[in-house]
Amino acid sequence: MDTPTEALHRVFGYDSFRAGQQEIIDHVVEGGDALVLMPTGGGKSLCYQIPALVRPGVGVVVSPLIALMQDQVDALTALGVRAGFLNSTQDFDERQRVEAAFLAGELDLLYLAPERLRVEATLRLLAKGEISLFAIDEAHCVSQWGHDFRPDYLALSELHERWPEVPRIALTATATPATHAEIASRLRLEKARHFVASFDRPNIHYRITTKNEPKRQLLDFLRAEHPGDAGIVYCLSRSSVEKIAAYLVDNGIAAVPYHAGLDNRTRAAHQARFLREDGLIVVATIAFGMGIDKPDVRFVAHLDLPKSVEGYYQETGRAGRDGLPATAWMAYGLHDVVQHRRLAMEGDDAHRRRQVLHLDAMLALCETVECRRVMLLDYFGQEHSKPCGNCDTCQAPPESWDGTVPAQKVLSTVLRLRRERGQKFGVGQIADILLGKKTAKVLQHGHDSLSVFGVGADLGNTEWHGVVRQLLAQGLLAVESDYGALVLTDASAEVLRGQREVRLRRDAPRTARAKTAAKDRPVVELPAAAEPVFERLRAWRAATAKEQGVPAYVIFHDATLREIATLSPSTLAELGTVSGVGENKLAKYGDQVLETLAS
Ligand code: ADP
Ligand code: ZN
């Protein structure tokens, strides 16, 4: 048997453990229970895979991600780890084969869908074999209040009663203290050791820009910063998913849609293409993504505001799992605030309160003039004392300005319309009144005779929209009704009376594109000479992956190929020193890689 460090080198080909991994692994190897909170891409899998290799018996992994089990097993098999899975997609023969392997002690890891554990036959099967540990992946699925609740997860509390001596390790990337506590109590892990890793993802560059022409902005972003890269674009609705995917394809960018309205087969096919092909974009609703552990997702783009910071962090966390630079980009505008403020008003009181808290936190992140990362980590209760230098606000600090007077102009227009005319209007009409525009709608309502007509000519239309957006974000204005009519809030009065100063953020001008920011980022550049070598290796990898019917990253990650291209090893021994080249892959692909390098 290997020690954990030996398994890390020999099987996975990695030089060292990442933060937190070693302590967790040692604890589980010694038979302790663990609850692990680690951000997406932090390296949770090794925390149960290595103990399963080191301890006698089979590691049983409970995972809700049935569609991904085959890929997970393929990736382990490529490393020389003996793995199998049991779920409802298999036929009888396949299941029999896996069960026989389990009983014969010929597996290191067995992946199980949670509903399998409700089947008495599965429990009987497990009782007949030797189990090294139970790993409960995506453990937040046990939380009834979370967004991924799976009833089958509730039954997992019984594992402890049936197998009291088998260590259990529960893992999740959902970090809020409330979810954390709920997982511990529902899975009976109160006595387990809790490991909370840093939630920082330093290789992700965060950027939130003001939305004006979303499609165009997305296209510019992709062309300038991520040509040919794989990534995910999140949209709120199915119809915008379809539209954006079609728009990208029309513009020569490989993209496929993914949402709950597509039939199962199309969804599965698009997911499989995303995992297998290099450089494909998936345009999706949030139905897409859980458990997608494709390491080389180079960007996650949001064209609509996520409902909560938790959601935002989970979605953006899918970028850059391989540790190479990646971008979390979002376009956000007035319409998002209006729409979300309205959505947040649905449901019962408790639900509403929760929604509003989530939304306020999300809006504060969008409107901040401070470092985004500091704010994100603070939200998760973690300190990051100095500005990160790898987010938009750090790189181009936005100005904040005293917007009290413009705010008073907006609020007093809303007030006058209500008091003097008994009317409510949306932002378009408010801006037209302030700008003194005699549009048909202004004349029709006689709004040119209001005392505030034309008092806002010092700002442009876009700026007025920006002011209204920020007032909404700060709760100094509210929206009512489906068409976005603006109304005052309790806090508005303080501003109108001059008792409260309003700080606003100066939005970047329309033309300012992100290219400059991209240049400042710490990119792991390939030396010029290595560039064609890297491309040759990629081509070899693509051909090999296709031949074997597995995703390219199962052969080698981009990071590994880059290192090989840079080092240009001439012997197998030298190649074996590269991170990501373990014993099995060296034996299987070593000669081919050296040939590709020599060609
Ligand atoms: P999570 O499940 O926490 O989202 P994964 O377990 O998928 O993350 O790991 C993310 C990526 O980091 C994977 O590609 C994995 O191979 C890699 N990785 C994990 N641990 C290490 C390590 N110690 N050294 C190098 N790479 C690692
Ligand atoms: Zn920053």
Side-chain angles (χ1 to χ4, degrees), residues 456-477:
D458 51 330
L459 296 182
N461 190 47
T462 313
E463 277 104 2
W464 282 117
H465 277 72
V467 172
V468 170
R469 185 192 80 233
Q470 297 188 56
L471 291 176
L472 280 165
Q474 295 184 26
L476 295 172
L477 259 182

Side-chain angles (χ1 to χ4, degrees), residues 482-494:
D482 287 347
Y483 48 93
L486 298 171
V487 293
L488 299 185
T489 67
D490 294 341
S492 311
E494 292 173 28

Side-chain angles (χ1 to χ4, degrees), residues 129-203:
E130 188 184 5
I131 298 174
S132 59
L133 58 86
F134 285 108
I136 300 161
D137 206 4
E138 312 288 349
H140 60 280
C141 289
V142 78
S143 160
Q144 304 222 24
W145 305 111
H147 47 297
D148 290 322
F149 176 57
R150 310 281 163 119
D152 288 319
Y153 262 63
L154 294 174
L156 297 180
S157 61
E158 285 164 27
L159 292 179
H160 178 54
E161 278 131 50
R162 285 200 182 228
W163 287 275
E165 71 296 342
V166 176
R168 294 171 303 146
I169 168 170
L171 311 105
T172 179
T174 300
T176 51
T179 324
H180 185 174
E182 197 183 351
I183 294 171
S185 81
R186 290 200 187 275
L187 292 178
R188 313 283 305 280
L189 283 169
E190 294 98 339
K191 295 208 191 87
R193 221 172 115 188
H194 292 201
F195 295 89
V196 182
S198 163
F199 269 69
D200 190 14
R201 299 284 312 281
N203 61 314

Side-chain angles (χ1 to χ4, degrees), residues 206-224:
Y206 296 97
R207 173 144 26 106
I208 302 179
T209 63
T210 319
K211 196 194 280 188
N212 35 61
E213 292 170 273
K215 284 200 290 200
R216 183 84 231 161
Q217 289 172 289
L218 175 68
L219 195 62
D220 287 347
F221 163 68
L222 295 178
R223 286 189 173 151

Side-chain angles (χ1 to χ4, degrees), residues 13-93:
Y14 294 142
D15 303 333
S16 52
F17 285 110
R18 287 202 184 144
Q21 285 177 329
Q22 176 127 44
E23 293 76 9
I24 299 165
I25 290 168
D26 287 346
H27 180 71
V28 177
V29 167
E30 279 159 25
D33 291 337
L35 173 50
V36 174
L37 274 65
M38 221 185 240
T40 313
K44 286 186 282 301
S45 320
L46 284 193
C47 296
Y48 58 82
Q49 287 167 349
I50 288 186
L53 290 173
V54 171
R55 284 175 64 86
V58 184
V60 175
V61 185
V62 180
S63 163
L65 310 165
I66 294 174
L68 297 170
M69 284 185 181
Q70 184 68 58
D71 282 342
Q72 286 171 327
V73 165
D74 285 346
L76 287 165
T77 309
L79 294 167
V81 175
R82 302 170 306 169
F85 66 85
L86 290 175
N87 70 32
S88 53
T89 66
Q90 288 163 308
D91 61 31
F92 182 75
D93 283 350

Side-chain angles (χ1 to χ4, degrees), residues 489-501:
T489 67
D490 294 341
S492 311
E494 292 173 28
V495 178
L496 279 169
R497 284 198 298 264
Q499 292 163 339
R500 175 168 173 166
E501 190 201 24

Side-chain angles (χ1 to χ4, degrees), residues 322-334:
D322 52 11
L324 296 175
T327 317
W329 180 92
M330 176 159 102
Y332 145 86
L334 173 63

